[in-house]
Amino acid sequence: MNNESRSEAYAAAGVDITAGYRSVELMKKHIARTKTPGADTDVGGFGGLFQPDLAGMKEPVLVSGTDGVGTKLKIAFLLNRHDTIGIDCVAMCVNDIICCGAQPLFFLDYIACGKNVPEVIEQIVKGVCEGCVQAGCALIGGETAEHPGMMPEDEYDLAGYSTGIVDKEKVIDNRTMRAGDVVIALPSSGVHSNGFSLVRKVFDVEHADLNAPVERLGGKSLGEELLTPTRIYVKPVLALLKEVAVRGISHITGGGFYENIPRCIPDGLCARIEKNRVKIPPIFGLIAEKGGVSEHDMFNTYNMGVGMSVVVPAAEADKALRILRANGVEAYVIGEIAEGDRKIEII
């Protein structure tokens, strides 16, 4: 820690430089967990260094993704729990990258806060580091900015950025997709990180008892259910890609089924999803009932229990299911690809 660096004038304006130094010291032990081969950087530098291993790659292609956590952060504020929200931040980036078939290499985070409380920043970064460990990528840098007057002292915003790599010949190519291919669901861990503006309105979370057990949720509290971090699918999908000719992958985020599943489908084809096959967790039923939200709007807003979908040839569907299940994902078939307009049909 730099004990010589302190500005009384800046502190009087609401920015505590020394709190930033303290935050960095607290987070170092968590960042060390994320170090992977190629990560060659110390916390506090101006840039994060990473040396990728290109052995065996003919035409390496970099794939990048960036995202935030959105208003799910409000749940963390209300519960005063900040150690899992970073997992969501990582998930929203790396789950996008894997849709191209790329292995995430490294991650950077950005935290803007009303007041830098080092212990809170440490918990946020602890979650980011856990997400990086789950994704197999290194946290090689980031930024924490204190913004007095821009937001309440006890609030913050969190965003992230990740870069991955894939050999050009292994980039997921949906032009290989054919009618008769199978759509497989990879279950979500819950609401994940989208649709929380509606969630907050439906449950009036600012005035609700978020710690009370809810029978419909198996005794879990509403707060516990809503704060459950987004599932990271990187390692199971990478295992799948090694053995199966995957023809399309969709990360089901904002826009739900209707917006995201067609994004991996080429012109001339559509996805037919059998609604009765979708294993919908109880939280979505609660949202629909309490908020009077139509079935269409639910499938057009939330993942409905399907955090990611993959399209594989029908002949490889059973093999794909075995691989995913062996890697901890209880995947199952929810539909097929058919000829038609580039859209989704839920039947």
Side-chain angles (χ1 to χ4, degrees):
M1 183 182 295
N2 186 348
N3 294 317
E4 299 299 319
S5 179
R6 176 172 173 79
S7 168
E8 297 294 341
Y10 213 5
V15 178
D16 185 352
I17 296 172
T18 59
Y21 299 146
R22 173 66 176 155
S23 297
V24 171
E25 289 302 313
L26 290 174
M27 66 178 71
K28 281 184 177 180
K29 63 180 179 291
H30 303 299
I31 296 172
R33 295 181 59 220
T34 76
K35 191 163 185 178
T36 62
D40 186 20
T41 186
D42 291 322
V43 180
F46 288 100
L49 305 179
F50 192 92
Q51 183 176 5
D53 181 4
L54 305 181
M57 288 194 174
K58 298 176 183 177
E59 295 183 85
V61 176
L62 297 179
V63 181
S64 297
T66 185
D67 209 339
V69 182
T71 63
K72 182 173 184 174
L73 290 173
K74 283 284 190 180
I75 309 300
F77 302 158
L78 291 166
L79 293 173
N80 193 28
R81 182 179 175 188
H82 312 284
D83 61 339
T84 63
I85 208 74
I87 300 174
D88 292 282
C89 188
V90 175
M92 295 302 287
C93 298
V94 299
N95 283 346
D96 280 354
I97 287 174
I98 196 64
C99 290
C100 298
Q103 161 74 64
L105 296 175
F106 56 81
F107 190 84
L108 294 93
D109 61 7
Y110 176 80
I111 305 168
C113 54
K115 181 178 177 60
N116 188 329
V117 179
E119 291 77 14
V120 172
I121 301 300
E122 177 197 6
Q123 290 301 296
I124 298 169
V125 176
K126 177 183 178 182
V128 171
C129 293
E130 173 59 28
C132 287
V133 169
Q134 291 183 22
C137 63
L139 179 62
I140 65 169
E143 173 70 11
T144 301
E146 200 168 18
H147 290 170
M150 289 287 288
M151 59 182 70
E153 288 191 353
D154 59 350
E155 294 191 2
Y156 55 84
D157 197 11
L158 173 64
Y161 164 88
S162 186
T163 291
I165 194 167
V166 61
D167 206 344
K168 187 174 181 179
E169 66 181 15
K170 294 182 180 179
V171 173
I172 304 296
D173 184 1
N174 68 3
R175 291 174 298 180
T176 63
M177 199 175 294
R178 299 288 182 268
D181 287 348
V182 171
V183 182
I184 293 175
L186 281 62
S188 70
S189 56
V191 181
H192 281 184
S193 300
N194 62 275
F196 270 82
S197 294
L198 179 55
V199 163
R200 288 167 44 234
K201 178 182 178 182
V202 166
F203 292 114
D204 189 18
V205 295
E206 282 80 4
H207 303 100
D209 183 356
L210 295 178
N211 293 306
V214 179
E215 185 177 351
R216 285 275 297 276
L217 300 178
K220 291 172 65 175
S221 69
L222 181 61
E224 182 183 3
E225 176 68 34
L226 295 178
L227 204 57
T228 300
T230 304
R231 191 167 190 173
I232 292 175
Y233 299 98
V234 171
K235 292 179 181 179
V237 172
L238 286 175
L240 179 67
L241 292 171
K242 289 179 181 178
E243 300 188 51
V244 172
V246 176
R247 292 174 171 175
I249 306 177
S250 290
H251 182 200
I252 314 300
T253 55
F257 277 47
Y258 284 102
E259 180 177 324
N260 291 291
I261 292 180
R263 290 171 67 177
C264 80
I265 300 173
D267 291 337
L269 296 175
C270 70
R272 288 183 179 155
I273 305 300
E274 296 181 46
K275 183 173 54 182
N276 62 355
R277 287 192 170 196
V278 180
K279 299 175 182 179
I280 303 175
I283 183 62
F284 297 108
L286 281 175
I287 295 171
E289 290 172 21
K290 189 168 180 62
V293 184
S294 70
E295 182 177 86
H296 176 276
D297 285 357
M298 290 297 297
F299 275 93
N300 205 175
T301 305
Y302 297 107
N303 66 61
M304 300 302 283
V306 181
M308 182 166 282
S309 65
V310 299
V311 178
V312 301
E316 295 193 75
D318 288 342
K319 182 179 181 182
L321 292 173
R322 286 197 302 271
I323 293 169
L324 289 168
R325 290 168 181 168
N327 283 273
V329 178
E330 289 301 313
Y332 60 97
V333 174
I334 56 171
E336 67 175 6
I337 301 299
E339 294 182 358
D341 295 333
R342 186 171 170 265
K343 63 179 182 179
I344 183 174
E345 299 174 2
I346 300 179
I347 56 177

